[in-house]
Amino acid sequence: MTDSSKDTEIDSAVYKTLLESTKAIPWKIDWHTMRFAYIGPQIESLLGWSPASWVTVEDWATRIHPEDRERVVNFCVAQSKAGTDHEADYRALTQNGDHVWIRDVVHVVRNDAGGVDALIGFMFDISERKKTEEQLVVLQKELEALSFKDGLTGVANRRMFDTILEEEWALARRNNQPLSVIMLDIDYFKQYNDCYGHIEGDACLKRVAQTLSSAATRSRDLFARFGGEEFVLVLPGTDEGSAAKIAERCRSLIFKEQIPHAQSPVSQILTVSLGVGTIIPSHQDDPLAFVETVDKRLYQAKQHGRNCIVKGS
């Protein structure tokens, strides 16, 4: 054996040792036979399948999670036929029926004529990365939910109100259905804060919000804090008469709470004023203008002595 051939054997042995000592799993597929020419022994410790069991690409395909299989196989075959290096993330099935997230990084080897000769690549275990990504998605959803929730009272906030009103407005206009909005304000809340302090004021807002959350009971009804001591209800598919009844229920619920308000010129217990509006929106109508109309009725309720409801004529 010549020195050069010895060096080649040594280099090959060193190269193989390096490959098989990494966490990445090397492999090679002969394109013409679609058979594995090589797969690293690390595959057995990761997935439980022995290297000898990886014979053809069919073995690879059947060991992909059924929900990922068609997508991944179609993508990899198309990219390989095009001679394009690529990578794919998928769940690989283990021998005991579990799955591991894999990232397959594939290099297409061409022959002298430019055709595909072989595929070589590495499999990487990305389970921890995927777990982190899933946790981030959950966290993002939680943060998104929080962004639609009032920090003090826990009910929906103004941002949620704006979003839901826009959606329900479009739906009511399309279906020619009524849409009602109730706006309400705690009477003389500044005096309440001055008398009892801001900590008690915050507690009062929480109590009012909790109480009024039960005023409208259908799944699409929305109760939200509009700002300060002002709250709002969005009532899809609710006509004027039904909206007026819900407004009266709101006023009654607060009355039953019997929250003391010694500095109120209206009553010795906490009261609310309410404005009610109902509309079947047309393309000429504007949701902001409608909300402003309801808000004006709330203001009229305050002018009329508070602890009352003003609705449309």
Side-chain angles (χ1 to χ4, degrees):
M1 182 180 292
T2 64
D3 289 341
S4 59
S5 61
K6 286 181 180 178
D7 291 342
T8 301
E9 283 186 12
I10 293 171
D11 290 344
S12 179
V14 170
Y15 182 61
K16 185 177 180 181
T17 301
L18 288 172
L19 280 178
E20 295 181 356
S21 65
T22 64
K23 289 186 178 181
I25 303 166
W27 55 265
K28 179 179 180 181
I29 289 174
D30 180 79
W31 181 255
H32 302 289
T33 63
M34 289 296 173
R35 297 174 70 87
F36 276 91
Y38 176 79
I39 190 164
Q42 307 99 310
I43 194 71
E44 188 165 7
S45 61
L46 180 62
L47 300 180
W49 308 99
S50 68
S53 70
W54 296 79
V55 180
T56 70
V57 292
E58 188 65 23
D59 296 315
W60 165 73
T62 57
R63 292 166 184 175
I64 296 175
H65 194 287
E67 293 177 6
D68 301 338
R69 188 175 299 146
E70 184 177 1
R71 169 184 61 83
V72 172
V73 171
N74 289 344
F75 171 75
C76 291
V77 169
Q79 294 297 103
S80 298
K81 284 182 177 179
T84 305
D85 292 349
H86 56 280
E87 57 185 55
D89 292 355
Y90 58 86
R91 287 166 291 179
L93 299 174
T94 64
Q95 195 174 34
N96 63 11
D98 292 331
H99 68 264
V100 174
W101 272 102
I102 292 289
R103 171 162 294 171
D104 234 338
V105 179
V106 185
H107 170 63
V108 180
V109 180
R110 296 175 179 271
N111 55 34
D112 293 338
V116 179
D117 186 57
L119 305 176
I120 61 173
F122 287 92
M123 293 181 185
F124 296 88
D125 177 4
I126 59 168
S127 298
E128 285 301 315
R129 184 185 307 176
K130 280 293 180 180
K131 184 178 179 181
T132 301
E133 288 175 1
E134 289 168 1
Q135 290 172 341
L136 288 173
V137 169
V138 171
L139 180 60
Q140 187 175 359
K141 288 181 179 178
E142 289 176 352
L143 289 173
E144 186 176 346
L146 286 173
S147 73
F148 286 106
K149 185 180 290 188
D150 179 58
L152 175 64
T153 63
V155 300
N157 61 12
R158 175 66 181 272
R159 182 182 179 190
M160 176 64 96
F161 165 75
D162 291 338
T163 301
I164 295 299
L165 180 66
E166 183 179 351
E167 292 175 357
E168 293 295 353
W169 184 273
L171 197 60
R173 185 175 61 191
R174 184 164 60 247
N175 296 332
N176 198 36
Q177 293 288 317
L179 176 66
S180 293
V181 167
I182 300 172
M183 302 192 77
L184 60 96
D185 192 271
I186 299 174
D187 294 328
Y188 296 107
F189 190 67
K190 181 182 183 300
Q191 288 82 347
Y192 186 95
N193 274 332
D194 290 343
C195 178
Y196 300 102
H198 288 281
I199 293 176
E200 280 299 317
D202 286 350
C204 175
L205 287 171
K206 293 177 186 177
R207 189 172 174 183
V208 168
Q210 184 179 7
T211 301
L212 294 179
S213 292
S214 63
T217 56
R218 297 175 310 169
S219 59
R220 280 173 55 200
D221 295 338
L222 174 76
F223 175 71
R225 186 181 180 191
F226 194 74
E229 65 270 25
E230 195 169 351
F231 297 88
V232 61
L233 288 97
V234 180
L235 308 169
T238 304
D239 60 25
E240 188 174 3
S242 298
K245 290 179 182 178
I246 293 172
E248 184 56 47
R249 188 187 306 158
C250 290
R251 198 171 73 88
S252 176
L253 285 169
I254 295 301
F255 176 79
K256 288 178 181 177
E257 286 297 302
Q258 294 287 297
I259 302 171
H261 190 348
Q263 297 301 313
S264 172
V266 178
S267 170
Q268 289 299 292
I269 61 171
L270 196 80
T271 59
V272 292
S273 299
L274 305 96
V276 184
T278 301
I279 189 172
I280 299 177
S282 69
H283 287 282
Q284 287 73 41
D285 293 314
D286 176 67
L288 181 60
F290 172 63
V291 171
E292 287 177 350
T293 298
V294 180
D295 197 40
K296 286 177 183 177
R297 290 175 186 168
L298 170 58
Y299 182 71
Q300 290 169 5
K302 294 178 183 179
Q303 288 184 315
H304 292 169
R306 291 179 166 82
N307 191 25
C308 66
I309 301 167
V310 172
K311 53 184 185 292
S313 55

